[in-house]
Amino acid sequence: AQTVTQSQPEMSVQEAETVTLSCTYDTSESDYYLFWYKQPPSRQMILVIRQEAYKQQNATENRFSVNFQKAAKSFSLKISDSQLGDAAMYFCAYRTYSGNTPLVFGKGTRLSVIA
Amino acid sequence: EADIYQTPRYLVIGTGKKITLECSQTMGHDKMYWYQQDPGMELHLIHYSYGVNSTEKGDLSSESTVSRIRTEHFPLTLESARPSHTSQYLCASSPLSSIFHEQYFGPGTRLTVT
């Protein structure tokens, strides 16, 4: 079974600085999809960024980018120019290519942003 | 506006009561999911459905049941609420039309069982 590991339960970053959240996963498949979700305190979970495993180019969405290392099974999230609104729980998730199974989520990383 | 809705948003109920948490989406998504999440903690998949009359148990079925009679509606029922059911319940849906099948989440129902 696939597993997703987020080794940093908590992280903090100074406002305007850059932070990287780690995510590793275990799979025997060659094609799959990866996601980062953001859950602000007492607010709705939203999709931040997504990546197709068969595309080597790292996905980017404004200040959010990923470092996808397929051989290492690593999918880290980089947040540039951190803002107070970036404070949230961040969840990494994996989905098989076939789509017949639900997303597998990591346990999350709580990010604090210091003014 | 296409969205995913959950009602009630907050519920306090006594032990032994039967409750139904509602989830509806107006995005026409085929797949729907229920998760249990203690505040600030990991997500636990309870049930999911890939279409009308299709339901599957997740890792944490939690003495609950679901039904999927209409595409847009996926209610979760606890037959006999217990204090251990106190948690936040998140509903999500995903489209088959996207290759990612990314999930869209509702605002959640925060349940307290006394």
Side-chain angles (χ1 to χ4, degrees):
Chain A
Q2 293 87 5
T3 58
V4 176
T5 301
Q6 295 179 247
S7 59
Q8 308 150 316
E10 295 185 359
M11 292 280 286
S12 63
V13 62
Q14 293 280 348
E15 199 174 5
E17 297 294 311
T18 296
V19 65
T20 299
L21 307 185
S22 299
C23 173
T24 58
Y25 55 93
D26 185 26
T27 183
S28 58
E29 300 190 351
S30 59
D31 291 329
Y32 45 87
Y33 300 93
L34 296 163
F35 307 83
W36 277 98
Y37 281 86
K38 171 186 178 181
Q39 187 180 38
S42 300
R43 293 181 61 187
Q44 207 154 333
M45 179 106 70
I46 59 172
L47 177 67
V48 174
I49 200 165
R50 60 194 187 184
Q51 173 84 38
E52 303 166 67
Y54 52 86
K55 285 191 176 180
Q56 293 301 307
Q57 185 174 3
N58 291 323
T60 299
E61 289 287 342
N62 301 312
R63 297 183 295 107
F64 297 86
S65 62
V66 297
N67 184 6
F68 173 49
Q69 300 290 327
K70 191 173 184 179
K73 297 180 183 176
S74 171
F75 184 61
S76 59
L77 175 70
K78 185 172 82 171
I79 306 173
S80 304
D81 185 26
S82 297
Q83 301 175 359
L84 294 177
D86 294 334
M89 282 290 289
Y90 286 83
F91 293 93
C92 179
Y94 165 102
R95 184 179 77 73
T96 60
Y97 179 76
S98 67
N100 289 333
T101 54
L103 291 182
V104 178
F105 284 90
K107 293 187 176 183
T109 296
R110 183 185 307 278
L111 177 67
S112 301
V113 180
I114 303 165
Chain B
E1 181 180 331
D3 209 341
I4 181 164
Y5 305 92
Q6 290 187 242
T7 57
R9 293 292 311 278
Y10 302 90
L11 179 63
V12 180
I13 199 162
T15 297
K17 299 291 186 183
K18 178 179 178 178
I19 57 172
T20 296
L21 308 183
E22 301 288 348
C23 176
S24 295
Q25 48 94 6
T26 58
M27 297 177 281
H29 291 173
D30 293 281
K31 298 183 175 183
M32 296 189 74
Y33 312 83
W34 275 105
Y35 293 89
Q36 183 177 341
Q37 182 193 29
D38 290 333
M41 303 297 285
E42 64 187 296
L43 297 157
H44 296 281
L45 181 65
I46 310 172
H47 295 279
Y48 58 101
S49 166
Y50 284 173
V52 171
N53 295 325
S54 156
T55 62
E56 301 286 343
K57 290 189 175 184
D59 300 327
L60 187 72
S61 59
S62 185
E63 295 100 31
S64 58
T65 58
V66 291
S67 63
R68 188 88 183 277
I69 299 173
R70 303 197 316 267
T71 298
E72 64 273 18
H73 193 216
F74 190 44
L76 174 74
T77 297
L78 294 176
E79 293 293 333
S80 179
R82 299 207 302 263
S84 61
H85 293 140
T86 294
S87 189
Q88 176 166 248
Y89 292 83
L90 299 179
C91 181
S93 68
S94 62
L96 285 175
S97 58
S98 163
I99 61 170
F100 290 95
H101 299 190
E102 67 276 14
Q103 291 185 4
Y104 296 83
F105 285 81
T109 293
R110 193 172 295 265
L111 173 66
T112 302
V113 183
T114 61

